[in-house]
Amino acid sequence: MKKNFDLIIVGAGPAGSAAALTAAERGVSVLLLEEHSQIGTPLACAEGLSRSTLKEFLDIRPEWVARELSGSIIRNPKGTEFTIEYPGVGWVLDRKRFDPGLAEIAVEKGAVLKKSVKAIGIQDNEVVVQENGSKNTYSFKYVIGADGVASKVGVWVGIDTRLSLSEIEVCAEYRLSNIVVNPEYAYLIFGSKYAPGGYAWIFPKSKTSANVGLGLSPLKTKDNAKSFLDRWLEEEFPGARIDEKIFGGVSAKILKRFSGRNFSLIGDAGRFTDPLSGAGIANGIKSGVIAGRNVARILRGQKSHLEGEMKAEILDEIKWHLRVRNVYLKLTDDDFLEVFRIAEKVFAGQTITDINTHHLVKQILLSCPHLLKLGFRLLF
Ligand SMILES: Cc1cc2nc3c(=O)[nH]c(=O)nc-3n(C[C@H](O)[C@H](O)[C@H](O)COP(=O)(O)OP(=O)(O)OC[C@H]3O[C@@H](n4cnc5c(N)ncnc54)[C@H](O)[C@@H]3O)c2cc1C
């Protein structure tokens, strides 16, 4: 049995598998470790993926998609809605097919995938694993931590990945069936009654099923996310069947350091989640692809562009969104009503092909004089 690999990747989520397939197709010997027996299970995700954030980093196959979306329906704290028509905006994935599908491509490219193998430590250039009830080791030249939001690899390589209360959104989500939803649109719902410091969502998987959840800032409420969700669902979907309950967190943080001489952290482990939307699938894939191609360069003795590419493709936007989030966390429901009024003017009745957050934020600030002062202080 092979014990030595160029690259060991801990975690076969979208980030780990994207890194594995990218490195393997460049001739790198890759070991991809996944602690669970089934990839994509259990899963903490609403499965929404926007085409514009993913860019050309991966072609989404039809068999991975539950719904193709045509836009969003935005609801304000008073329950009023408007629709953003944005054909081809993205997908609600079926991650129980998508995650294993991506890992399968990595295997086709030559990566060795080991399921039910849990990494439990790193010693020198070896990953220590728990495998078939006993300890084992595999050696690497380079190791990638793609082990999700609760990453241990970060700790093992000496990176402080801890999240304070201001750097996390706490989420609760149920997979519901026996409901009626418009399957063409993702619903985004704002207001302190539903999700203080965050938002609530309905991501349809069919006409009668959806991922319904919310993320909130623990700075804005002492109540827990589950209580908010239960109260809302009683009002929104009485009689729904709850097929699965999901609880988790998403980060709103940039690490001081996500890589070193022979390691890097990617996806949620590297805190690459978008701090405004909480979306991490696209940035997970992007960070995986970037890490995969740079590890291949490093192992060939070529110059690495890892830091620069991560900055240009992911971190500059996260930095901007962290600033916008600082303003967002200060908004009252009355401010939301004002922002909603302006956004409705910008979007309603139009067919959109792109959303530029810089442009939108500027328009909102210029139209709301009392937000302008706060906005300038926190944004610039
Ligand atoms: C409620 C909720 C809803 C969300 N909705 C969305 C959404 O709609 N759209 C979106 O883009 N993002 C969403 N996210 C975020 C998204 O789920 C993550 O950003 C994404 O899954 C990150 O991918 P990843 O590969 O970095 O990590 P993960 O998908 O978490 O994968 C990590 C993998 O590593 C494995 N692993 C962990 N530790 C070990 C170990 N020691 N040894 C071996 N294997 C290990 C895990 O089993 C897992 O398979 C949501 C998050 C939450 C909590």
Side-chain angles (χ1 to χ4, degrees):
M1 196 199 351
K2 190 172 159 59
K3 299 277 283 179
N4 308 317
F5 293 83
D6 291 337
L7 170 63
I8 298 182
I9 300 169
V10 180
S17 291
L21 76 89
T22 308
E25 70 187 356
R26 284 162 174 75
V28 174
S29 73
V30 179
L31 173 61
L32 177 60
L33 299 174
E34 171 53 49
E35 67 173 315
H36 293 107
S37 57
Q38 250 181 304
I39 292 175
T41 308
L43 181 68
C45 191
E47 304 175 285
L49 176 61
S50 95
R51 199 185 293 268
S52 65
T53 50
L54 185 61
K55 296 193 197 160
E56 76 294 351
F57 279 82
L58 182 74
D59 287 330
I60 296 299
R61 298 182 176 178
E63 64 267 27
W64 298 337
V65 173
R67 291 298 313 173
E68 192 126 2
L69 295 170
S70 309
S72 304
I73 294 175
I74 312 292
R75 190 185 296 170
N76 75 11
K78 286 202 164 152
T80 311
E81 294 178 348
F82 75 88
T83 304
I84 301 179
E85 297 290 350
Y86 191 159
V89 60
W91 310 268
V92 180
L93 294 175
D94 180 349
R95 279 194 61 182
K96 290 195 173 152
R97 284 168 177 259
F98 170 70
D99 285 27
L102 209 55
E104 194 49 47
I105 300 176
V107 171
E108 283 163 18
K109 303 280 182 191
V112 174
L113 168 65
K114 283 182 175 279
K115 294 190 265 188
S116 304
V117 176
K118 181 180 170 115
I120 55 170
I122 292 179
Q123 284 167 1
D124 300 322
N125 66 333
E126 287 183 336
V127 175
V128 184
V129 301
Q130 195 77 48
E131 184 174 17
N132 298 324
S134 53
K135 266 192 194 173
N136 213 339
T137 57
Y138 293 95
S139 75
F140 60 82
K141 293 179 185 155
Y142 197 103
V143 64
I144 289 180
D147 49 338
V149 72
S151 175
K152 289 284 188 302
V153 175
V155 179
W156 298 333
V157 296
I159 291 191
D160 184 2
T161 54
R162 282 174 299 178
L163 300 169
S164 68
L165 286 186
S166 63
E167 294 167 336
I168 195 161
E169 291 279 315
V170 181
C171 306
E173 178 184 87
Y174 297 162
R175 297 193 193 289
L176 296 186
S177 54
N178 200 30
I179 56 176
V180 178
V181 283
N182 183 337
E184 303 290 319
Y185 297 93
Y187 284 71
L188 305 177
I189 297 143
F190 298 88
S192 57
K193 178 179 163 193
Y194 301 104
Y199 68 95
W201 62 79
I202 304 169
F203 286 179
K205 294 200 79 172
S206 72
K207 285 178 183 171
T208 57
S209 63
N211 298 330
V212 180
L214 56 89
L216 56 79
S217 164
L219 292 182
K220 303 281 279 187
T221 175
K222 293 219 170 349
D223 207 352
N224 62 51
K226 181 181 182 300
S227 309
F228 275 94
L229 182 58
D230 287 338
R231 282 196 294 271
W232 172 41
L233 291 190
E234 226 166 82
E235 161 191 319
E236 181 93 28
F237 294 118
R241 195 175 67 222
I242 300 175
D243 296 326
E244 208 177 329
K245 293 185 177 186
I246 290 158
F247 305 101
V250 293
S251 65
K253 181 189 179 89
I254 290 185
L255 293 179
K256 286 199 177 78
R257 204 162 67 100
F258 64 85
S259 68
R261 187 182 54 80
N262 64 349
F263 69 83
S264 50
L265 303 179
I266 59 173
D268 280 12
R271 308 300 180 227
F272 289 114
T273 321
D274 185 288
L276 259 191
S277 64
I281 303 171
N283 283 351
I285 293 166
K286 285 153 82 175
S287 60
V289 170
I290 292 169
R293 60 190 184 212
N294 278 287
V295 171
R297 280 190 201 123
I298 291 166
L299 293 171
R300 285 197 296 259
Q302 295 168 345
K303 189 173 161 37
S304 163
H305 305 299
L306 183 72
E307 304 273 340
E309 287 181 18
M310 291 289 198
K311 180 176 178 309
E313 290 291 350
I314 304 173
L315 290 172
D316 283 348
E317 182 159 86
I318 291 186
K319 207 168 163 186
W320 163 242
H321 285 180
L322 277 172
R323 289 200 215 140
V324 178
R325 180 175 182 264
N326 280 341
V327 179
Y328 187 86
L329 287 177
K330 298 264 185 312
L331 298 184
T332 63
D333 277 357
D334 283 344
D335 294 330
F336 270 121
L337 293 174
E338 193 68 2
V339 169
F340 179 89
R341 190 182 58 74
I342 296 152
E344 185 175 15
K345 255 206 251 168
V346 174
F347 292 118
Q350 311 250 16
T351 298
I352 308 293
T353 54
D354 182 32
I355 294 180
N356 180 331
T357 54
H358 289 260
H359 180 67
L360 183 62
V361 167
K362 199 168 142 197
Q363 244 173 315
I364 289 168
L365 291 181
L366 290 175
S367 314
C368 299
H370 69 287
L371 285 183
L372 193 62
K373 213 168 137 198
L374 172 72
F376 257 92
R377 187 161 55 79
L378 293 171
L379 287 169
F380 308 107

